[in-house]
Amino acid sequence: MFAYLYEWIENLAFYMILITAFVQMIPNNSYQKYVRFFTGLILILMLSGPIFKVFGIEQEFQEFYKSAEYQQKVKEIERGAAYLEEFTGKIE
């Protein structure tokens, strides 16, 4: 249990250092708010990882990811992306 917590804290620290360095390298301040928002969402997921594990929600997410419904949605998105690529190719 302590090894899991140690690894979790280590991952959070590495993530925070990486994101801090990345935000400092962004040349335009207008993009920083979007990067901070996105990285904040990822940080929330990372912080909630142990909570998901305790309540067994992590297993439900894995089952959903492997489910047929998810695979069908992925195929629909891929078809939509292919259509858009074909459509934008005709415009150029």
Side-chain angles (χ1 to χ4, degrees):
M1 178 69 175
F2 287 112
Y4 174 75
L5 287 176
Y6 180 76
E7 181 182 348
W8 178 67
I9 292 170
E10 190 177 64
N11 287 339
L12 285 174
F14 177 75
Y15 178 76
M16 293 301 296
I17 292 169
L18 182 69
I19 293 306
T20 303
F22 181 71
V23 168
Q24 294 301 319
M25 290 189 302
I26 297 175
N28 193 351
N29 288 337
S30 64
Y31 292 118
Q32 282 187 356
K33 63 181 174 181
Y34 300 111
V35 170
R36 287 181 190 264
F37 175 74
F38 180 72
T39 56
L41 292 176
I42 294 173
L43 182 61
I44 289 170
L45 288 175
M46 289 178 72
L47 288 171
S48 61
I51 296 168
F52 288 161
K53 190 170 188 132
V54 167
F55 291 113
I57 298 172
E58 182 180 39
Q59 182 67 26
E60 290 180 26
F61 281 132
Q62 289 176 356
E63 288 174 9
F64 175 74
Y65 181 74
K66 294 177 183 177
S67 71
E69 180 182 351
Y70 177 78
Q71 297 299 326
Q72 182 181 5
K73 294 290 183 186
V74 168
K75 288 178 184 177
E76 288 177 15
I77 291 170
E78 288 173 350
R79 282 190 299 245
Y83 173 76
L84 287 176
E85 286 177 4
E86 181 181 313
F87 182 74
T88 55
K90 291 179 182 178
I91 293 174
E92 297 174 317

